[in-house]
Amino acid sequence: MTKSDTPMGTKGLSRRAVLAGGAALTASLFAPKGLRAQDFPTAAVNTTGLAVTDDTVTIGILHSVTGTMAISETGSVQAEKLAIEQINAQGGILGRKIEYVQEDGGSDWPTFAEKAKKLLVQDKVASVMGCWTSASRKAVLPVFEQYNGMLYYPTFYEGLEESPNVIYTGQEATQQIIAGLDWVNKTKGAKSFYLLGSDYIWPRTSNKIARKHIENFMDGCKVVGEDYYPLGHTQFNSVINKIRLKKPDVIYAIVVGGSNVAFYKQLKAAGIDMTKEDPILLTISVTEDEIRGIGGENIDGAYACMKYFQSLDNPNNAEFVTAFKEMWGDDIVIGDVTQAAYLGPWLWKAAVEKAGSFDVDKVREASPGIELPTAPEGYVKIHENHHLWSKTRVGHAKADGQYEVVYETAELVEPDPFPEGYQ
């Protein structure tokens, strides 16, 4: 499925105007401009007791800003706050400014569940932008389904889920994992793979899918090793030695959070020069956010398969990057999940205005089919399964901490969270 991008140009816009408008302006195409609160009486647009007044609507932000996952999740918080500020600068949603309650999941899954319940039951937020790991999402999912909340989840993940209470703005496994493996096989001739990950549901399930694809759908290919380590783990020398003995063509790495810093520094210290591609390192978990902590010199030469890289050359992304740096500093970096988190408030805004209501059931019903032609990554659309149609790209890590895009799918990739043959 394809659609031509219709980006809004930046000519004549000041930096302040970019911040106020942002790359996602077309989200508001779903409703007339200049919406006034008096045209949408609170009693009519909020029939379920959400935190909606005549002037404001309150949402939740739920990410880890402390603990091992803070290195990955801080960018999501920044992106969501940028989107909220831009939406408010346009007049808000149904004439109401967005306020938010922010909670810290603390890189602890029971804490995520506890904070999710607080946001929905006590704060009565209209929606939540939150989580990063699949473990945190799985922890809060029963809470959202029990109390009928709506979660906008930004992270690429393993798929095998389709909740009516979640909009998945990151890619699921078939969009990310399969495309990346096919690319490295066809482009680099890779035949043998060593699977490595942090020890929780996303890396394990993703590598299960990767193994099935390698062994069942890639001719002559095999997995020569598979290992997992706890979140926060910092000693990787033993597995690096195992990798050297096995001599795989590809290290397929799904290490997350702060463990990435130790892993990539120890790879380099062990003499594995990723610029020589012997072996090739292909990751689906290291965005520019993590590279900032790892150090570009320690991951130079690696490849990543995702839908967004900061270096994407299009007018939508140029506006977004400018606005992001305007708000958070010129030295800030933007990774895949950060960009996907930025989409959350805009997609929710579009659904609310399409529904003419903040009620979760009506927002859910309005969500499929919503399009963002000027998302920073390019055109996206919400599928009936609550995932996004999007392109898949491969980036080549450089010493300056950025990825150079070396491949992208010609067409948008349809999300398929329950692919036949991979469950």
Side-chain angles (χ1 to χ4, degrees):
M1 176 179 179
T2 61
K3 180 182 176 77
S4 298
D5 288 342
T6 55
M8 298 191 65
T10 60
K11 185 176 181 181
L13 290 179
S14 66
R15 285 166 67 88
R16 182 173 296 277
V18 170
L19 179 59
L25 276 171
T26 50
S28 60
L29 292 176
F30 290 99
K33 301 295 188 293
L35 296 180
R36 302 178 303 169
Q38 55 264 42
D39 296 328
F40 298 91
T42 301
V45 300
N46 177 30
T47 68
T48 57
L50 299 173
V52 179
T53 71
D54 292 344
D55 304 308
T56 65
V57 55
T58 302
I59 69 172
I61 294 177
L62 178 58
H63 291 288
S64 296
V65 294
T66 59
T68 189
M69 291 308 303
I71 186 176
S72 299
E73 298 193 51
T74 298
S76 296
V77 176
Q78 293 170 329
E80 288 152 5
K81 290 181 178 179
L82 170 62
I84 291 167
E85 181 165 328
Q86 291 176 336
I87 291 168
N88 284 342
Q90 292 184 17
I93 303 180
L94 300 185
R96 293 162 173 82
K97 296 296 179 72
I98 303 173
E99 296 182 345
Y100 60 83
V101 177
Q102 182 177 347
E103 296 291 348
D104 179 12
S107 304
D108 177 71
W109 321 143
T111 298
F112 267 93
E114 173 190 333
K115 298 297 186 180
K117 183 176 180 180
K118 173 189 175 292
L119 288 170
L120 296 178
V121 176
Q122 179 178 321
D123 300 312
K124 299 186 182 303
V125 298
S127 64
V128 176
M129 311 295 148
C131 300
W132 199 102
T133 66
S134 286
S136 64
R137 189 193 71 258
K138 290 289 189 184
V140 306
L141 188 59
V143 179
F144 278 87
E145 293 183 342
Q146 178 180 354
Y147 296 102
N148 198 30
M150 184 62 79
L151 173 67
Y152 287 78
Y153 175 67
T155 314
F156 34 66
Y157 85 113
E158 69 281 354
L160 308 180
E161 182 179 295
E162 183 182 330
S163 171
N165 294 87
V166 183
I167 299 294
Y168 306 82
T169 65
Q171 290 186 308
E172 51 78 26
T174 64
Q175 294 173 299
Q176 185 187 23
I177 297 170
I178 294 172
L181 291 172
D182 286 345
W183 174 83
V184 78
N185 171 240
K186 294 173 183 176
T187 305
K188 302 293 183 178
K191 295 289 186 180
S192 59
F193 297 77
Y194 199 110
L195 310 182
L196 181 65
S198 295
D199 194 5
Y200 72 99
I201 185 171
W202 176 53
R204 281 190 173 272
T205 307
S206 295
N207 274 336
K208 179 181 178 182
I209 292 168
R211 178 183 281 273
K212 286 191 174 184
H213 189 67
I214 291 165
E215 295 178 342
N216 298 331
F217 299 98
M218 294 169 61
D219 290 342
C221 294
K222 61 183 178 180
V223 174
V224 297
E226 185 171 356
D227 281 293
Y228 298 91
Y229 294 89
L231 284 167
H233 187 76
T234 59
Q235 300 299 322
F236 290 95
N237 288 319
S238 62
V239 74
I240 291 170
N241 288 333
K242 288 169 68 175
I243 290 169
R244 297 181 75 139
L245 289 172
K246 293 288 186 179
K247 300 184 184 302
D249 296 330
V250 176
I251 303 171
Y252 192 70
I254 319 180
V255 178
V256 306
S259 295
N260 278 305
V261 177
F263 175 60
Y264 287 96
K265 285 184 176 180
Q266 288 166 27
L267 271 181
K268 184 176 181 181
I272 295 179
D273 183 353
M274 285 173 278
T275 64
K276 295 180 179 178
E277 301 188 0
D278 185 23
I280 296 164
L281 191 138
L282 177 61
T283 179
I284 61 170
S285 62
V286 177
T287 75
E288 291 89 337
D289 294 294
E290 286 81 16
I291 291 180
R292 193 178 187 192
I294 295 167
E297 70 280 4
N298 295 312
I299 197 170
D300 185 19
Y303 291 93
C305 186
M306 298 169 183
K307 66 174 182 171
Y308 173 85
F309 297 101
Q310 183 179 316
S311 62
L312 275 179
D313 185 13
N314 68 60
N316 312 338
N317 191 46
E319 291 183 357
F320 170 59
V321 172
T322 298
F324 201 93
K325 289 179 177 288
E326 175 88 7
M327 188 168 188
W328 299 109
D330 286 339
D331 62 340
I332 204 73
V333 296
I334 306 167
D336 179 282
V337 182
T338 297
Q339 189 267 167
Y342 176 75
L343 302 182
W346 290 101
L347 292 168
W348 176 65
K349 174 185 188 292
V352 168
E353 293 183 343
K354 181 180 175 183
S357 173
F358 292 102
D359 292 354
V360 170
D361 288 342
K362 293 176 182 177
V363 169
R364 177 189 302 114
E365 184 179 351
S367 291
I370 282 178
E371 302 168 290
L372 292 182
T374 57
E377 68 183 83
Y379 171 88
V380 298
K381 180 179 179 179
I382 300 180
H383 194 280
E384 290 181 358
N385 60 30
H386 282 201
H387 296 72
L388 301 186
W389 291 82
S390 61
K391 287 192 172 184
T392 299
R393 299 173 172 95
V394 175
H396 193 201
K398 302 299 180 182
D400 65 0
Q402 291 294 313
Y403 283 105
E404 176 190 1
V405 179
V406 295
Y407 168 79
E408 72 172 32
T409 54
E411 307 288 335
L412 295 172
V413 182
E414 182 177 9
D416 183 8
F418 293 96
E420 185 176 354
Y422 290 91
Q423 299 178 44

